[in-house]
């Protein structure tokens, strides 16, 4: 069969493949662009696009602290983790959702024409608050600047998209402290995730590790080599389950700053 005969015979299949390739190329290109429909639906919103399933990171730099929210996926489940300096904590999904909702629906009262306000007047050269959002191929940065002298609101800028006027209420809602996003659970995981438990009280240390055997209630725990004569023996599951229940019920009421925590904590039991 000649080359041209092959092309004529399979013209329909070739055309369909070409169309599919074009569509894939368009989707790849479009994922990094704001669609006409998105722009129309969000014409009064600060962020031109909002794709919740693609959000992977939110960075916040405020007047008193900076932190980063990172979305993690484990066993098909998504969760958020908050990093502040050298410390990392599990975040409370509901609190993070509230912040994301504020960002999603954040709107402006008007957009300033280029040069309408001096940079010194807007305070955007040294903004009070910066929020970065990574959303798939898209990324945005919101800067919140000075209050407007007339009391109308505050200046805000979305990098690459212009300078806007937003309400004072929105500016306040965007300034969320890290402690408000942290989960208040002491143990943000379940017992099957535990590999080892060490309890220290005064001069006594109890050290348990996940046992290799299996059973109707799971593998259970055994004493480690540090337990001396008890090394390798199974830990009684009844009192240990009571410890797990206590872990599950423990919740913080508020978070102290590091200096206050050091002064307040006697560490009677670790």
């Amino acid at each position: 069969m000649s080359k041209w005969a092959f092309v004529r015979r399979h013209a329909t299949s070739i055309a369909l493949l070409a169309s599919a390739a074009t569509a894939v190329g368009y989707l790849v290109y479009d994922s990094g662009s704001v669609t006409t429909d998105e722009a129309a639906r969000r014409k009064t919103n600060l962020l031109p696009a909002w794709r919740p399933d693609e959000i992977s990171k939110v960075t916040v730099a405020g007047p008193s602290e900076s932190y980063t929210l990172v979305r993690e996926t484990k066993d098909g489940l998504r969760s958020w983790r908050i990093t502040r300096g050298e410390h990392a904590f599990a975040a409370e999904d509901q609190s993070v959702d509230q912040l994301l909702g504020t960002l999603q629906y954040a709107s402006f009262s008007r957009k300033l024409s280029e040069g309408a306000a001096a940079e010194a007047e807007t305070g955007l050269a040294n903004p009070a608050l910066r929020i970065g959002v990574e959303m798939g191929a898209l990324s945005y940065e919101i800067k919140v600047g000075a209050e407007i002298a007339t009391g109308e609101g505050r200046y805000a800028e979305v990098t690459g998209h212009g300078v806007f006027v937003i309400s004072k209420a929105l500016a306040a809602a965007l300034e969320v402290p890290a402690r408000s996003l942290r989960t208040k659970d002491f143990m943000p995981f379940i017992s099957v995730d535990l590999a080892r438990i060490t309890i220290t009280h005064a001069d006594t240390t109890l050290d348990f590790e996940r046992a290799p055997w299996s059973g109707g209630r799971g593998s259970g725990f055994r004493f480690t080599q540090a337990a001396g004569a008890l090394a390798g023996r199974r830990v009684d599951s009844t009192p240990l389950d009571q410890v797990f229940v206590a872990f599950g019920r423990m919740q913080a009421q508020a978070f102290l700053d590091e200096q206050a925590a050091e002064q307040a904590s006697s560490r009677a039991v670790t």
Side-chain angles (χ1 to χ4, degrees):
M1 182 184 298
S2 70
K3 175 176 65 177
W4 297 113
F6 176 85
V7 170
R8 286 194 299 271
R9 182 173 181 179
H10 298 282
T12 302
S13 298
I14 293 172
L16 289 172
L17 286 172
S19 297
T22 301
V24 169
Y26 173 78
L27 288 172
V28 171
Y29 170 79
D30 189 62
S31 67
S33 306
V34 178
T35 66
T36 303
D37 182 56
E38 282 176 315
R41 283 187 289 106
R42 298 185 58 81
K43 60 183 179 181
T44 60
N45 293 110
L46 276 179
L47 299 182
W50 188 260
R51 303 169 186 175
D53 290 339
E54 297 182 23
I55 298 172
S56 58
K57 182 186 290 187
V58 178
T59 56
V60 178
S64 59
E65 64 175 351
S66 298
Y67 60 87
T68 302
L69 283 165
V70 178
R71 179 176 256 166
E72 300 176 337
T73 302
K74 181 180 179 181
D75 300 329
L77 299 175
R78 286 181 166 184
S79 61
W80 288 93
R81 193 157 188 82
I82 184 169
T83 302
R84 183 183 174 206
E86 298 178 353
H87 304 286
F89 311 96
E92 187 175 62
D93 288 341
Q94 184 176 355
S95 299
V96 175
D97 286 343
Q98 289 177 353
L99 173 59
L100 295 180
T102 301
L103 289 168
Q104 178 180 0
Y105 297 108
S107 59
F108 57 89
S109 56
R110 61 187 175 94
K111 182 176 181 179
L112 276 64
S113 57
E114 190 172 351
E119 189 175 58
E121 178 187 347
T122 64
L124 293 170
N126 186 25
L129 177 66
R130 292 174 182 261
I131 300 179
V133 180
E134 294 187 14
M135 189 185 330
L138 297 174
S139 61
Y140 296 107
E141 183 183 45
I142 300 174
K143 301 177 184 178
V144 179
E147 289 190 20
I148 299 173
T150 60
E152 181 185 359
R154 294 181 67 167
Y155 293 105
E157 179 182 5
V158 178
T159 305
H161 295 277
V163 177
F164 306 86
V165 174
I166 63 172
S167 68
K168 293 180 183 179
L170 173 58
L174 289 172
E175 196 172 319
V176 180
R179 64 177 179 273
S180 297
L181 298 170
R182 287 178 58 181
T183 179
K184 291 181 171 56
D185 293 332
F186 271 66
M187 297 291 181
F189 43 77
I190 57 178
S191 60
V192 294
D193 292 328
L194 297 176
R196 186 169 181 170
I197 304 171
T198 303
I199 302 175
T200 303
H201 178 220
D203 296 328
T204 302
T205 297
L206 299 174
D207 197 16
F208 316 133
E209 64 183 0
R210 181 71 67 180
W213 55 72
S214 60
R217 299 186 60 189
S219 59
F221 285 81
R222 67 180 179 183
F223 287 92
T224 66
Q225 294 300 317
L230 292 174
R233 293 186 61 179
R234 180 189 290 270
V235 177
D236 188 344
S237 61
T238 300
L240 190 58
D241 284 345
Q242 294 174 359
V243 173
F244 292 151
V245 170
F247 283 166
R249 290 177 176 172
M250 292 172 67
Q251 284 198 325
Q253 292 181 335
F255 294 106
L256 304 175
D257 60 45
E258 293 179 23
Q259 184 176 0
E262 286 293 334
Q263 294 173 351
S265 178
S266 61
R267 294 178 174 81
V269 179
T270 302

